[in-house]
Amino acid sequence: IKIIKKYKINMRWCLQMCVIVRAVPLPPGPRPAHKSSGSLPQGFSGLTHLLHWPLTPGDGGDLLASTSPQTSTYHLRSPAQTSYTLGGYLEAILIARDHQGRPKAHGGDLFRAQLLGPDLKAGVPGDVTDLENGTYLLTLPLLWAGQAQVQVRLIHSSEAVRVLRGIWRDQWATVDFTGYFRGPTGYEETVTCNVNPLLIGEEEGTCHYRDEDSGELWFCARPPTLPCDSLVGHSSGRYWNVTTPHEEALLARNVTNKTLPQGIPPIWVAQENNRSLGEAMALASFLSPPQPCHPGIPAPRPSGFYHQNVWHSLSCSSRSFSTADSILRCLAGRVVHMMGDSTLRQWWEYLRDTVPALKPVDLHATYHTGPLMAVDTTRAIVLQWRTHSWPLRSLRTPVAALHSVVRELGGLAGGPHTVVVLSLGAHFTTFPPSVFVQRLAGVRAAVAALLAREPDTLVVIKLANTGYKSVYGSDWFTLQVNRLLRAAFVDLRVAFVDAWEMTSSLALPDSIHPGRCVVRNEVDLLLSHVCPT
């Protein structure tokens, strides 16, 4: 009852769900390891503190009262200096103002700060602390010698965030999907499918499906003539109109992801005692101990920075794998299982395109959902990727090919030659957080079971990256998803690749599918965990 009240869940939906769950045949009993490790970390189920965001007062009816990227300003917290010390910090105060130039009296805006070195192809994300009174503290680490400049962007005003939060909390979905049913003669019928039976427009005659490994449910409207067990295909459906004209104005392009006027002139970061640039960069390494990359390392903020377009981790000694031979030497004798969304498929594609010895195997699968495989038989390398199961926005793909991550993990023996990479989140921003939490609970249990039976298995979690700026996939949603991802696996011996910071540190346009430079550095960080020395 507390959960129903807290998340404003429809009581009739809950009652129907209870009936449906009771009517679904139970799957085979779980593996013993899952029984002992299926619980989430303490406090994870209480989403309030994990997904905290300052509230925006008022009704948001006045567009001119929303935060403006044109009138908001920032300045140095202390007097400007002729030069700054490598390894120190630059602090600035940001004052949010509305479209009439009036200072805001509350927080809740989503700003992003960067320190950039364009000539050095350098960049690092800054920390933005919401003081919840209309001002923000910007903290930017000084991690390279030479010129640097501050850039601040307003991703969403607090008023836009309130719209997004309301949709995430109150809308049980913002998209639907299409299910394809086929009869014995080849005749097909299509219907609407979704995570909730009340979202498909049919309260009676619903087909329900339960994943035998994860226990998750999926629903389709009953086709006119064909039986429920004739479901053969799945694809994206419609994007629903869930905003009013006023809400659309708050999320419009002219006020979303806009750079604030330059508030701080470029600064100079001095090298200590005229050391060389290489020595100066080494000085910055005192921010974290120079330890090899391995699972379980606490994540600093920031987790790293770019210099000459190369990502330098601040949690471990990341390496650059700049040649095909270096990648092959690292992957020799390993089987790499990649499971997740298309941003992880980019890793598979990068390795396939960079290493000619990795030969793709035609599995006659739908490319955008997989499974995809590439092998090097002489070095015993197997590299494969497949998407996670529904909810999945995709072209039409066979239902039989949509394996749950839990099923795939449960079928792995694991061991020192096994690498598992997971990427979850991008397809869950169109649903309330409870749907993602349910997915995480199953995946976490499967990862815990895998590590329990073979502790030497390397498991890497790729966080969701920047890219979307709409009600269907905003960066604000992605921030919440990443908080849940970190919390779900915080006490397991896994490694993280912080794709959020790696896609928000350079002066590059945000894209849900980042360019080759970012993907190369993400893969290099993965390989640094596979081959730490």
Side-chain angles (χ1 to χ4, degrees):
I1 296 299
K2 289 182 180 179
I3 294 175
I4 290 171
K5 290 180 179 178
K6 185 175 182 179
Y7 294 105
K8 300 182 180 180
I9 301 173
N10 183 280
M11 178 66 80
R12 185 176 65 156
W13 177 84
C14 287
L15 293 174
Q16 291 192 12
M17 285 289 286
C18 291
V19 172
I20 288 169
V21 171
R22 287 175 62 88
V24 177
L26 292 176
R31 297 175 178 85
H34 284 246
K35 292 181 179 179
S36 62
S37 57
S39 61
L40 290 165
Q42 185 177 4
F44 179 77
S45 57
L47 300 181
T48 303
H49 75 284
L50 287 174
L51 304 183
H52 169 74
W53 197 267
L55 294 175
T56 302
D59 59 6
D62 183 4
L63 180 62
L64 294 180
S66 64
T67 307
S68 166
Q70 285 78 35
T71 62
S72 296
T73 60
Y74 59 96
H75 59 270
L76 285 172
R77 189 180 187 185
S78 55
Q81 303 171 205
T82 56
S83 65
Y84 295 81
T85 304
L86 184 69
Y89 289 88
L90 187 74
E91 290 188 332
I93 297 295
L94 189 157
I95 302 173
R97 292 184 170 86
D98 67 16
H99 289 266
Q100 294 180 320
R102 299 171 298 191
K104 302 291 289 289
H106 60 81
D109 301 296
L110 177 56
F111 287 103
R112 187 188 302 166
Q114 300 166 289
L115 190 67
L116 303 172
D119 295 339
L120 299 172
K121 300 176 183 178
V124 64
D127 187 60
V128 180
T129 303
D130 189 343
L131 303 180
E132 300 192 27
N133 60 3
T135 62
Y136 300 78
L137 174 63
L138 312 181
T139 307
L140 303 115
L142 307 176
L143 299 174
W144 63 83
Q147 194 177 71
Q149 61 188 50
V150 179
Q151 183 181 91
V152 181
R153 281 189 285 167
L154 174 65
I155 306 300
H156 290 300
S157 67
S158 59
E159 291 75 16
V161 169
R162 177 171 51 192
V163 173
L164 297 174
R165 178 161 48 189
I167 289 172
W168 211 30
R169 182 191 62 213
D170 298 333
Q171 294 281 340
W172 271 96
T174 54
V175 298
D176 59 28
F177 303 86
T178 300
Y180 302 83
F181 293 76
R182 182 185 302 144
T185 64
Y187 169 70
E188 289 196 347
E189 294 173 343
T190 60
V191 301
T192 299
C193 302
N194 220 315
V195 299
N196 184 323
L198 297 185
L199 296 174
I200 57 181
E202 299 288 342
E203 296 188 17
E204 302 293 337
T206 302
C207 296
H208 50 268
Y209 306 90
R210 182 174 183 174
D211 186 275
E212 293 188 355
D213 297 277
S214 68
E216 293 182 71
L217 298 173
W218 185 252
F219 304 91
C220 292
R222 187 177 293 274
T225 64
L226 295 174
C228 290
D229 61 6
S230 61
L231 177 64
V232 295
H234 167 86
S235 75
S236 301
R238 299 167 299 154
Y239 285 77
W240 297 350
N241 183 8
V242 295
T243 52
T244 66
H246 169 68
E247 291 170 339
E248 291 172 5
L250 290 171
L251 293 162
R253 290 186 177 182
N254 64 320
V255 292
T256 299
N257 193 29
K258 291 298 180 182
T259 303
L260 272 61
Q262 192 71 42
I264 300 174
I267 66 168
W268 184 262
V269 182
Q271 301 174 27
E272 185 175 324
N273 298 328
N274 295 319
R275 293 180 180 178
S276 68
L277 180 60
E279 291 174 320
M281 287 184 60
L283 177 64
S285 68
F286 80 90
L287 296 172
S288 65
Q291 58 182 324
C293 296
H294 62 81
I297 298 177
R301 292 183 63 181
S303 63
F305 67 100
Y306 284 101
H307 186 273
Q308 297 298 341
N309 281 341
V310 174
W311 179 260
H312 299 268
S313 171
L314 293 176
S315 61
C316 65
S317 300
S318 55
R319 302 169 57 196
S320 178
F321 295 80
S322 57
T323 66
D325 285 343
S326 64
I327 295 174
L328 288 171
R329 286 193 299 270
C330 178
L331 291 179
R334 288 181 169 86
V335 180
V336 183
H337 301 269
M338 298 182 180
M339 291 170 267
D341 55 43
S342 56
T343 65
L344 188 56
R345 188 184 67 227
Q346 287 187 275
W347 292 16
W348 185 91
E349 293 167 336
Y350 169 80
L351 289 168
R352 174 202 62 189
D353 297 341
T354 304
V355 185
L358 281 170
K359 304 297 183 184
V361 178
D362 187 358
L363 299 178
H364 305 286
T366 304
Y367 182 82
H368 286 90
T369 53
L372 305 178
M373 179 180 290
V375 300
D376 180 347
T377 57
T378 61
R379 297 175 179 84
I381 301 173
V382 179
L383 179 70
Q384 47 191 354
W385 170 88
R386 72 180 312 139
T387 188
H388 58 69
S389 186
W390 45 45
L392 178 72
R393 299 188 299 276
S394 68
L395 301 175
R396 178 172 174 173
T397 191
V399 167
L402 298 180
H403 295 187
S404 71
V405 173
V406 173
R407 178 198 295 186
E408 292 296 305
L409 292 174
L412 295 180
H417 299 291
T418 302
V419 180
V420 173
V421 189
L422 305 177
S423 177
L424 309 167
H427 291 261
F428 288 85
T429 58
T430 54
F431 304 97
S434 56
V435 175
F436 189 50
V437 167
Q438 183 183 21
R439 173 62 54 87
L440 284 179
V443 174
R444 174 195 151 77
V447 169
L450 174 61
L451 293 176
R453 63 180 178 265
E454 282 294 349
D456 290 333
T457 306
L458 174 61
V459 178
V460 178
I461 310 294
K462 175 190 174 294
L463 298 183
N465 55 258
T466 59
Y468 292 131
K469 306 290 187 295
S470 76
V471 296
Y472 308 107
S474 162
D475 280 352
W476 184 81
F477 292 141
T478 303
L479 271 175
Q480 315 312 313
V481 162
N482 281 340
R483 287 178 177 181
L484 294 173
L485 269 168
R486 281 200 181 277
F489 296 98
V490 67
D491 61 341
L492 295 181
R493 197 172 182 275
V494 302
F496 289 94
V497 171
D498 194 338
W500 173 270
E501 290 196 352
M502 296 181 78
T503 55
S504 62
S505 295
L506 289 174
L508 297 172
D510 287 347
S511 173
I512 193 62
H513 294 117
R516 184 178 176 88
C517 171
V518 172
V519 174
R520 170 176 55 81
N521 281 285
E522 291 174 339
V523 173
D524 278 354
L525 189 52
L526 165 68
L527 296 176
S528 295
H529 283 87
V530 177
C531 303
T533 58

